[in-house]
């Protein structure tokens, strides 16, 4: 009886011991599952939104992963957490280069190249994110190149003084999206515009002064030409001819007035000549040349010019008339002389 009871106690003890092991095993599995779940949730949250990754949530997820007993599961989550960090780093680098579609101040092409190299690491992880980041990086590089291009234009053409060059630089400067760089270029454009306006103003002044000088020269030449034409057509140019014509006409008349005795005073003789009555008398020998022959008046005495007859026609008639000198002699020795024309 006692032996039977002992066996029963042994069996009962065995059952109790087996029940405790099963309970421990269940509890251990439940704890491991909980650690895996917590680690997976933390890593997935970061991987899904890598832009939201920060030091705090990264460290938390990392600690959950390290507590996983299953080596394979732990390695899987560790790799996923590393990929989340790679995506986060690439996003951060792109945002450091370009924000809201505009590059940051002082960005260089070499910096963008480094960013693009890191973006390549995202390609096997998340192709969609890779394309988005690559597009932003290309846009940033394009803006950097545009700034350099505009700087080169200013460097080569800043001293130009024509609107065509100004418009060319202005067009390129407007493509610069960075506010600080755009402000610098606009300042240079304002200075260039001012220089061109001053240059245009100087050109206009020179043009106006040149036109005024040319006009004054033309007016002077016209005035000289008019004066020359006035002198050529004035009566003074005809006066010598009229004087000649009058002398030719009046010469026979003067002789006729001296005709009666040959010793009369000529009222038209110059005052520098001495009168015969005041000079000492000199005996003179009879000579054919001393006694003027009687002279008949010209058969056709030219009439005085009338106001209605052309002076040029009168002069021409007198010039064309044939005159013959019929005699000459001295009125007094060393004094006045006479001539006779027919």
């Amino acid at each position: 009886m006692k032996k039977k009871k002992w066996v029963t106690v042994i069996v009962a003890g065995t059952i109790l011991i087996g029940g405790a092991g099963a309970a421990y095993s269940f509890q251990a599995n439940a704890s491991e599952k909980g650690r895996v779940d917590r680690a997976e949730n933390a890593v997935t949250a970061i991987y899904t939104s890598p832009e939201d990754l920060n030091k705090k949530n990264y460290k938390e997820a990392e600690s959950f992963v390290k507590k996983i007993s299953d080596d394979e599961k732990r390695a899987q989550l560790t790799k996923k957490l590393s990929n989340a960090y790679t995506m986060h780093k690439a996003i951060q680098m792109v945002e450091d280069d370009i924000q809201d579609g505009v590059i940051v101040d002082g960005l260089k092409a070499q910096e963008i190249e480094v960013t693009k190299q890191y973006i390549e690491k995202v390609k096997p992880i998340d192709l969609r994110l890779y394309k988005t980041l690559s597009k932003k990086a290309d846009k940033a590089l394009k803006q950097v190149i545009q700034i350099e291009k505009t700087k080169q234009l200013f460097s080569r053409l800043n001293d130009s003084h024509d609107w065509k060059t100004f418009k060319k630089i202005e067009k390129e400067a407007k493509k610069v999206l960075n506010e600080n760089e755009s402000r610098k270029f606009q300042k240079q454009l304002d200075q260039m515009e001012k220089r061109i306006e001053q240059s245009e103003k100087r050109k206009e002044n020179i043009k106006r002064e040149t036109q005024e000088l040319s006009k004054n020269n033309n007016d002077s030449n016209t005035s000289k030409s008019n004066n020359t034409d006035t002198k050529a057509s004035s009566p003074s140019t005809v006066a010598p001819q009229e004087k000649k014509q009058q002398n030719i006409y009046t010469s026979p008349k003067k002789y006729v007035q001296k005709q009666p005795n040959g010793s009369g005073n000529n009222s038209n003789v110059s005052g520098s000549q001495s009168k015969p009555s005041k000079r000492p008398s000199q005996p003179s020998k009879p000579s054919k040349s001393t006694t003027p022959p009687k002279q008949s008046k010209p058969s056709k005495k030219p009439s005085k010019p009338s106001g209605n007859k052309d002076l040029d026609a009168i002069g021409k008639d007198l010039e064309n008339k044939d005159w013959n000198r019929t005699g000459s002699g001295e009125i007094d020795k060393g004094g006045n002389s006479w001539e006779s024309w027919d």
Side-chain angles (χ1 to χ4, degrees):
M1 185 70 180
K2 292 182 179 179
K3 187 176 180 180
K4 184 177 179 179
K5 287 181 180 180
W6 178 251
V7 172
T8 303
V9 171
I10 292 173
V11 172
T14 301
I15 293 172
L16 289 174
I17 294 172
Y24 173 79
S25 175
F26 176 78
Q27 290 177 357
N29 290 336
S31 297
E32 175 69 9
K33 186 177 183 304
R35 288 193 293 270
V36 171
D37 289 342
R38 285 194 298 270
E40 285 184 340
N41 292 335
V43 171
T44 301
I46 294 174
Y47 188 90
T48 304
S49 302
E51 64 276 6
D52 295 331
L53 187 147
N54 54 57
K55 187 176 181 180
K56 181 180 179 180
N57 59 18
Y58 181 83
K59 289 294 183 180
E60 185 179 29
E62 186 180 37
S63 65
F64 290 156
V65 172
K66 287 181 178 181
K67 292 178 180 180
I68 297 175
S69 300
D70 188 337
D71 293 339
E72 183 178 354
K73 191 67 174 179
R74 185 173 64 252
Q76 181 182 358
L77 291 177
T78 299
K79 178 65 175 177
K80 192 173 183 178
L81 183 61
S82 177
N83 289 342
Y85 177 80
T86 298
M87 290 187 293
H88 168 76
K89 182 66 175 179
I91 293 172
Q92 190 64 46
M93 292 180 70
V94 171
E95 290 181 350
D96 289 343
D97 293 344
I98 182 169
Q99 298 176 2
D100 299 326
V102 180
I103 60 173
V104 297
D105 296 341
L107 185 64
K108 304 297 180 183
Q110 296 84 347
E111 297 176 88
I112 300 176
E113 289 299 329
V114 174
T115 300
K116 289 173 71 67
Q117 291 175 10
Y118 207 91
I119 291 173
E120 290 296 325
K121 295 180 179 182
V122 179
K123 189 174 183 179
I125 300 172
D126 190 327
L127 185 60
R128 181 187 61 82
L129 180 61
Y130 165 79
K131 291 180 178 180
T132 300
L133 296 178
S134 295
K135 186 177 180 179
K136 291 182 177 181
D138 291 340
K139 189 175 183 179
L141 182 60
K142 184 178 179 180
Q143 290 186 33
V144 170
I145 293 174
Q146 181 61 42
I147 291 174
E148 293 300 321
K149 179 181 179 180
T150 307
K151 286 181 178 179
Q152 291 177 5
L153 283 176
F154 270 111
S155 178
R156 291 188 294 105
L157 305 175
N158 190 42
D159 294 333
S160 301
H161 293 81
D162 61 279
W163 292 114
K164 183 178 180 181
T165 303
F166 174 84
K167 292 296 183 182
K168 181 178 180 180
I169 299 178
E170 183 183 41
K171 180 180 179 181
E172 297 300 326
K174 287 182 178 180
K175 297 178 182 179
V176 176
L177 302 180
N178 180 271
E179 185 176 352
N180 289 335
E181 294 294 340
S182 178
R183 190 182 298 111
K184 292 177 183 178
F185 290 143
Q186 187 59 51
K187 185 177 180 180
Q188 290 179 281
L189 284 171
D190 292 342
Q191 294 173 350
M192 186 176 182
E193 183 178 20
K194 185 176 180 179
R195 288 197 303 270
I196 295 175
E197 288 176 349
Q198 291 175 346
S199 177
E200 291 292 327
K201 186 175 181 180
R202 287 194 297 269
K203 289 180 180 178
E204 287 296 326
N205 291 337
I206 293 173
K207 182 179 179 181
R208 183 173 59 256
E209 291 174 359
T210 302
Q211 289 176 346
E212 290 178 355
L213 181 61
S214 177
K215 181 180 179 181
N216 292 336
N217 290 338
N218 291 336
D219 292 343
S220 177
N221 293 335
T222 302
S223 177
K224 291 179 180 180
S225 177
N226 291 338
N227 290 338
T228 303
D229 294 341
T230 301
K231 290 179 180 180
S233 60
S234 63
S236 61
T237 58
V238 186
Q241 183 177 0
E242 293 178 359
K243 185 176 181 181
K244 181 178 179 182
Q245 294 169 353
Q246 292 172 359
N247 289 341
I248 296 173
Y249 166 72
T250 57
S251 179
K253 181 177 180 181
K254 290 178 182 178
Y255 172 74
V256 172
Q257 292 175 349
K258 295 184 284 183
Q259 187 67 24
N261 53 20
S263 61
N265 292 331
N266 186 0
S267 61
N268 293 326
V269 178
S270 172
S272 62
Q273 295 175 344
S274 302
K275 295 182 179 180
S277 60
K278 293 182 180 181
R279 295 181 62 86
S281 61
Q282 297 277 346
S284 58
K285 294 181 181 181
S287 173
K288 293 181 180 179
S289 62
T290 59
T291 303
K294 293 183 179 181
Q295 177 66 32
S296 61
K297 294 182 180 180
S299 59
K300 292 183 180 180
K301 183 178 180 180
S303 62
K304 292 183 180 180
S306 63
N308 296 326
K309 191 169 183 180
D310 191 339
L311 293 177
D312 291 338
I314 295 172
K316 185 174 180 181
D317 291 339
L318 294 175
E319 288 178 359
N320 294 332
K321 183 174 180 62
D322 294 332
W323 295 90
N324 297 317
R325 190 170 68 174
T326 58
S328 64
E330 293 181 346
I331 298 174
D332 51 22
K333 188 173 183 180
N336 298 321
S337 63
W338 61 267
E339 290 182 354
S340 173
W341 296 82
D342 188 5

